[in-house]
Amino acid sequence: MSSVSFDAADPARLAVLDTVPRDEITTAALAELVELAAFTAHTPMAAVSFLEADRACCATAIGIDIECVDSGNSFAATTLAAGLPHVVSDTREHDTFASSSLVTGETGVRFYAGFPLKVDGHGLGTLFVADKRPRHLPPDEAHALRVIADQASAQLKLAQLTRGSA
Amino acid sequence: MVEPPAIEREAERLASLESIGLDRTSEAAYNELVELAAFTAHAPMASITVIDRDEAWFKATLGFEAEGLPRVDSICGHTAAAGAPLVVPNLLEDERFVDNPLVTGPLGLRFYAGVPLILDDGLAVGTLCVLDQRPRTFLSDDRRALQIIGKQVAAHLSLAKQRNRVV
């Protein structure tokens, strides 16, 4: 398994994560963006997940029952390590994810496209879409999803400014 | 032609608009959102329209270039006044708009779908709309997507207002 050169436990990152209230208002706003992402990419699954020190947890999701996964082989950590949109057309052909519970379990993720959510320069989580079958992501859909992810980041910033502890 | 109805709490609404400190400068966040609205609706044109005292001006446009138009001629003025989504599949078949310059003029609009941009105070400062030069249908999924994107535009306006307050 390839390792991820991203320190999920970085105290500076976790400190920023703490300043963003993940309350009902934030979750409701993110849920709408997740719905929009699934609609835009025509996928049965979409979610926003936050990367904590040792696990990645879905704050809101469509078509995914798993709440948290280990950060070691998580899609979120890999996406945040790259700091860029991360598209996996077929997870079974990908070293890091072949053993992820999202891939091996009932959820059976084959296609994944994740986009970093950043606040104050730190990657806090991801917005992603997923499918049970391998597929490609056309450039115009990728662009639209990046815009939707930027909106999710803006919602986190708004939450921090209006209701946060910063 | 039917002019947009007057908006309740108009003075308060204009004060709210002013507190955002929005100007006509092109800003990436708004440009991206009109692009997203057009993409998800498969529409060739979209705009974020600010309903100001006498003018409806564009914060962002896609597929057409314009500064603004008199508020009385604005279809978006109707959406803001209603405070609710407005979908007109064929503008020629709606007496409010059949002789509107946007319909009869060079832009030749036929289809309109818009949502109000409502801030925390419940007041609509403008609209997000998608447009087409041919009549078309707009399904409930399309409407839902436009509403979600409209809320994002409103969130940016709230963020701008918030930052104005902090500075």
Side-chain angles (χ1 to χ4, degrees):
Chain A
M1 190 181 291
S2 61
S3 64
V4 173
S5 61
F6 177 77
D7 182 12
D10 171 16
R13 193 189 73 82
L14 293 174
V16 175
L17 185 58
D18 272 346
T19 66
V20 178
R22 286 173 271 166
D23 54 15
E24 272 179 40
I25 302 171
T26 310
T27 306
L30 294 176
E32 289 194 337
L33 290 168
V34 164
E35 185 187 340
L36 185 63
F39 176 73
T40 301
H42 315 284
T43 55
M45 294 180 259
V48 162
S49 93
F50 289 104
L51 187 64
E52 295 166 8
D54 52 2
R55 57 188 195 156
C57 295
C58 287
T60 173
I62 291 173
I64 297 168
D65 288 334
I66 294 176
E67 277 180 19
C68 297
V69 296
D70 220 35
S71 66
N73 59 1
S74 86
F75 290 101
T78 308
T79 303
L80 292 181
L84 294 166
H86 188 67
V87 180
V88 182
S89 292
D90 188 349
T91 53
R92 289 191 191 165
E93 292 172 5
H94 200 289
D95 289 350
T96 310
F97 304 130
S99 63
S100 162
S101 50
L102 277 172
V103 174
T104 58
E106 269 183 32
T107 315
V109 168
R110 294 292 295 277
F111 163 79
Y112 168 92
F115 299 76
L117 303 183
K118 288 185 182 174
V119 173
D120 300 340
H122 288 278
L124 303 187
T126 56
L127 178 140
F128 67 88
V129 294
D131 206 332
K132 286 174 188 286
R133 59 186 178 85
R135 55 164 281 191
H136 293 284
L137 190 67
D140 53 358
E141 283 183 13
H143 178 71
L145 289 173
R146 191 188 58 71
V147 171
I148 296 169
D150 287 348
Q151 297 315 307
S153 294
Q155 287 289 351
L156 299 181
K157 185 67 191 174
L158 184 63
Q160 184 201 54
L161 282 175
T162 54
R163 305 184 302 284
S165 52
Chain B
M1 195 181 87
V2 180
E3 291 181 6
I7 301 184
E8 277 180 48
R9 298 162 68 193
E10 177 66 3
E12 200 185 329
R13 196 189 68 83
L14 290 171
S16 171
L17 176 58
E18 178 138 11
S19 70
I20 300 168
L22 202 64
D23 62 25
R24 299 183 193 214
T25 323
S26 169
E27 288 183 59
Y30 298 106
N31 293 338
E32 286 188 341
L33 286 165
V34 288
E35 204 181 303
L36 182 64
F39 179 75
T40 56
H42 308 287
M45 293 179 274
S47 75
I48 292 169
T49 311
V50 174
I51 305 299
D52 218 327
R53 188 181 305 273
D54 300 311
E55 191 189 9
W57 56 270
F58 300 115
K59 178 59 186 173
T61 64
L62 182 126
F64 70 102
E65 281 179 33
E67 280 277 312
L69 68 159
R71 180 167 163 181
V72 291
D73 291 337
S74 164
I75 302 173
C76 285
H78 289 262
T79 310
L86 174 65
V87 177
V88 186
N90 187 350
L91 291 160
L92 288 178
E93 290 174 2
D94 190 315
E95 63 168 15
R96 290 173 293 178
F97 308 117
V98 62
D99 54 354
N100 185 293
L102 296 169
V103 178
T104 57
L107 206 52
L109 294 185
R110 292 295 177 269
F111 168 77
Y112 173 93
V115 293
L117 303 173
I118 298 173
L119 303 197
D120 330 356
D121 50 17
L123 299 164
V125 294
T127 64
L128 169 72
C129 69
V130 293
L131 310 161
D132 207 331
Q133 289 170 320
R134 56 187 177 83
R136 49 169 292 187
T137 52
F138 206 59
L139 302 175
S140 61
D141 274 357
D142 297 319
R143 187 191 289 240
R144 172 82 182 137
L146 189 64
Q147 278 181 296
I148 292 174
I149 301 168
K151 280 197 193 175
Q152 295 311 308
V153 178
H156 275 279
L157 297 172
S158 297
L159 196 55
K161 194 169 175 173
Q162 199 64 234
R163 283 181 166 143
N164 248 0
R165 200 172 294 161
V166 173
V167 174

